[in-house]
Amino acid sequence: MGRNLKITLAYDGSEFHGWQVQPELPTVQGTLADCLKRVTGEDVLPQGSGRTDAGVHALAQVASVRLESPIPERNLVIALNDILPASVRVNSVEVVPDNFHARHSAKAKTYRYRIYRGDICPPCLARYVYRDPYPMDEEALMRASEQVVGKHDFTSFAASDPDRGARIAEAAGEEKDEAPHFGNVTNVRTIHSSLWARTREELIYTVRGDGFLHHMVRNLVGTFLLVGKGSLKIGDVPTILEARNRSAAGPTAAACGLYLVSVEY
């Protein structure tokens, strides 16, 4: 029967075309699958907790995979990190119950977005932050983020997702221990916390919720930035939510500043 394994990994998404495997393109999922095959000889496709986009980073992405190989979990961590590119690190491998699925079993996720506010962004940070040194009402931006806490329909902050129908069909035939909204066409999500913090050189947005739509975090950030710039008012955010129309919200913020921080089960 083999083992069902939970793999927690971190990666620099700058040179990947996102998580999901794509023909002829470097992806995190494809890279991990290739390395698993080299180590174990098994042709498997690890399933991630979600699909980070091209250029998006992860501090603790979670993948699940079933392997027949008897290699101990700690040895598997060492073997994978020996052959994975330096931009991907496996932090841990652990045996989990057979019904565990990295995506379907997830209960909450936390994302972080970093904005560099200094005049000159150090080269070593350029791929990991969005640079915006221009005038901004940071207090208004922070207050705007509070408007999305709670249970809302986030259609206005969702990009078109052409693969969603296939995932819904997949979920329909599987167990019911899925993420709260997987397999459900609703765009309603619950945001548990949404806040900004200021460091010496950066504005950092952290959002935790039970699920996120395609580009949702980046679209939220893009909208909050419009509030900070004065193009929108704090009170416009609830109106944008009520509109349920993508054109009502702000632009999609750059991928380089976004990180998947953690996944809860």
Side-chain angles (χ1 to χ4, degrees):
M1 293 294 292
R3 297 168 295 168
N4 192 27
L5 298 177
K6 175 186 176 184
I7 302 175
T8 303
L9 63 157
Y11 50 83
D12 173 350
S14 303
E15 297 179 3
F16 290 102
H17 287 257
W19 164 266
Q20 188 174 16
V21 66
Q22 299 180 53
E24 309 301 325
L25 292 174
T27 66
V28 181
Q29 185 184 37
T31 300
L32 180 59
D34 289 344
C35 291
L36 282 167
K37 185 173 183 179
R38 289 174 59 186
V39 170
T40 68
E42 299 178 48
D43 195 359
V44 294
L45 187 64
Q47 297 299 307
S49 69
R51 302 171 305 154
T52 51
D53 297 319
V56 174
H57 317 292
L59 304 181
Q61 169 71 287
V62 175
S64 55
V65 65
R66 179 169 293 281
L67 293 176
E68 302 295 331
S69 171
I71 299 174
E73 295 89 271
R74 178 56 188 162
N75 291 0
L76 193 56
V77 172
I78 295 170
L80 287 171
N81 283 333
D82 278 346
I83 60 174
L84 280 165
S87 54
V88 182
R89 293 293 89 183
V90 171
N91 294 329
S92 65
V93 175
E94 56 187 295
V95 177
V96 288
D98 288 342
N99 64 352
F100 177 87
H101 189 287
R103 182 170 73 251
H104 301 172
S105 302
K107 301 302 182 185
K109 295 179 182 177
T110 298
Y111 282 91
R112 181 175 300 151
Y113 196 92
R114 297 171 61 187
I115 299 177
Y116 191 82
R117 296 286 290 148
D119 291 335
I120 302 173
C121 181
C124 61
L125 283 181
R127 302 204 302 183
Y128 309 110
V129 296
Y130 170 61
R131 176 179 173 269
D132 187 342
Y134 307 107
M136 184 187 306
D137 184 341
E138 295 184 3
E139 181 180 353
L141 172 137
M142 292 177 178
R143 291 175 57 196
S145 70
E146 300 169 359
Q147 305 300 307
V148 301
V149 174
K151 188 175 183 179
H152 305 284
D153 185 320
F154 283 93
T155 297
S156 292
F157 296 96
S160 174
D161 186 355
D163 297 327
R164 193 179 187 194
R167 298 200 310 280
I168 291 171
E170 174 193 355
E174 299 186 357
E175 298 296 328
K176 295 183 179 180
D177 59 343
E178 300 165 353
H181 305 287
F182 190 86
N184 193 338
V185 294
T186 180
N187 284 339
V188 174
R189 298 291 185 271
T190 299
I191 297 300
H192 303 303
S193 61
S194 170
L195 53 91
W196 290 88
R198 188 64 155 94
T199 67
R200 181 178 177 182
E201 298 288 354
E202 294 184 27
L203 269 173
I204 302 174
Y205 176 59
T206 304
V207 58
R208 176 177 174 268
D210 66 353
F212 293 89
L213 301 167
H214 192 41
H215 286 181
M216 178 173 156
V217 178
R218 292 165 60 192
N219 292 337
L220 285 169
V221 171
T223 302
F224 299 150
L225 284 172
L226 288 186
V227 175
K229 303 290 184 171
S231 299
L232 291 174
K233 298 179 181 178
I234 297 169
D236 290 333
V237 177
T239 303
I240 293 170
L241 282 166
E242 293 170 5
R244 297 178 176 84
N245 188 325
R246 175 67 189 97
S247 64
T252 305
C256 58
L258 183 61
Y259 299 74
L260 172 59
V261 175
S262 63
V263 186
E264 300 170 45
Y265 294 94

